[in-house]
Every structure is written in structure tokens, then in C-alpha cells.
Amino acid sequence: VQSLPRIDKIVTHTPSPSNGADFGNLRYGKQFSLPLLESILRKHLDKDKPKRCLDVGAGRGWVAQKINELVIVESMWCVEPDDKLSSTNEAWLWLEDRIENVLLPDAYFDLIVCAHTLEHVKSPRLTLCKLNRSMIKNGLLYVVVPNIEYIGTDGQIVEWFIDKHMF
């Protein structure tokens, strides 16, 4: 499912939060996905093991904060292209760029979260390959994208037809 016009074909696009099509800049999908993320992380993470974590499309830092509540974090990298949404947590490495442009170390991260972000990238396949290279063996990759089955669910319809969903 793609929104038209495709944002990657628009030369001049000024992001601004509003109640229009550009509402996607607020990235509420991440906040909706936190309960599921928390339950999955509780099942799969060892609280005492230091983690090197990457939050792709970090938004306001909701996911990174949840990870910090659940595990001992040695290193938290947050990638977010919109500087208006970044967190003030100075303990995290905050990279203000698209994931496609960020140089990631090989075999570094124990945990990578890509929540409501993959539908915004130009190539989901290339992005997933890049994330895979940056994970340690047996690392955990958590990916969640909008699910068309949920169209019509109360409070979530705004997430579907926004200008930044490329896939």
C-alpha cells in the first residue's frame, strides 16, 4: 500500500506537523506499538546483559526510553532525520539523518528496533540488509510496520494515508 504522490518524487517538500497529510511527521505509530514491543522484549532480553541498541527512526525517543527501562544499556544509538523530534537524553548517540545515510559498524548491535520506520525508506530490502550487517550473531531485530488489517481501528486511521509512507 503506497500513498500518492510518492514523497521521494517530490523535489520541494517542507515537513510541518499539522492535521493534513504531513501529519506523519509526528510518528504516532511508535507510541501505539510500545505495549507489544515491551512484551516481546521482556520475553527475549536478559536484563543483566549489557546491550548495544539501535533505534531506527527514533522520533521523540519513546522506544529508546522503553528499552532503557527494561535492560542495562551500554550504548544507545538513535537515528532520526527530523531534528524537531529528537530527545534531550545526552547519554544516547543521536544521529540526525536518514538510516540510508548513516554509517553503522559491522556486527555491533545486540538489539535493533525499527518500529514504524521501514515503510518510510526508499528500499526496505537494502535497509534490512544494512541492519543485518550491523547486528551481532544471534542479535534481536524487532520490526513493526503498519498492518493493513487494522485499518478502521479506533485512533489509528491517521497512520495509513500520510505522504511519507512509501511502502
Side-chain angles (χ1 to χ4, degrees):
V1 175
Q2 296 180 358
S3 300
L4 295 174
R6 293 272 310 265
I7 193 69
D8 63 336
K9 304 292 185 215
I10 298 173
V11 177
T12 58
H13 173 74
T14 305
S16 63
S18 74
N19 63 356
D22 57 346
F23 189 67
N25 286 334
L26 297 179
R27 294 181 184 91
Y28 282 100
K30 283 191 176 301
Q31 195 171 21
F32 291 142
S33 68
L34 284 178
L36 178 59
L37 170 68
E38 181 175 1
S39 69
I40 290 172
L41 292 180
R42 284 186 186 280
K43 287 181 194 173
H44 296 285
L45 295 180
D46 179 357
K47 188 168 179 64
D48 297 325
K49 182 179 177 187
K51 299 287 177 187
R52 292 186 211 155
C53 305
L54 171 64
D55 183 8
V56 180
R60 292 182 176 90
W62 291 320
V63 169
Q65 183 60 43
K66 182 56 67 179
I67 293 167
N68 275 288
E69 292 172 11
L70 298 173
V71 297
I72 299 168
V73 176
E74 176 185 301
S75 174
M76 176 62 73
W77 291 34
C78 298
V79 177
E80 172 56 51
D82 190 341
D83 62 352
K84 295 175 189 73
L85 297 180
S86 62
S87 170
T88 58
N89 190 323
E90 294 178 8
W92 304 341
L93 174 60
W94 203 269
L95 304 168
E96 291 177 357
D97 206 341
R98 294 180 58 84
I99 188 62
E100 297 97 330
N101 302 329
V102 174
L103 181 62
L104 297 174
D106 290 339
Y108 181 79
F109 298 104
D110 301 290
L111 170 65
I112 297 176
V113 175
C114 187
H116 288 268
T117 301
L118 201 58
E119 67 273 16
H120 298 273
V121 301
K122 289 184 180 178
S123 172
R125 182 182 63 80
L126 291 176
T127 300
L128 288 170
C129 289
K130 179 179 195 167
L131 298 177
N132 184 53
R133 282 190 306 273
S134 69
M135 284 180 32
I136 64 167
K137 185 176 179 178
N138 298 321
L140 180 63
L141 171 64
Y142 177 84
V143 176
V144 60
V145 295
N147 184 337
I148 197 154
E149 290 180 12
Y150 294 110
I151 287 182
T153 302
D154 289 342
Q156 293 192 21
I157 192 67
V158 74
E159 281 293 307
W160 296 100
F161 303 104
I162 60 175
D163 63 342
K164 295 216 172 201
H165 282 185
M166 293 167 54
F167 296 95

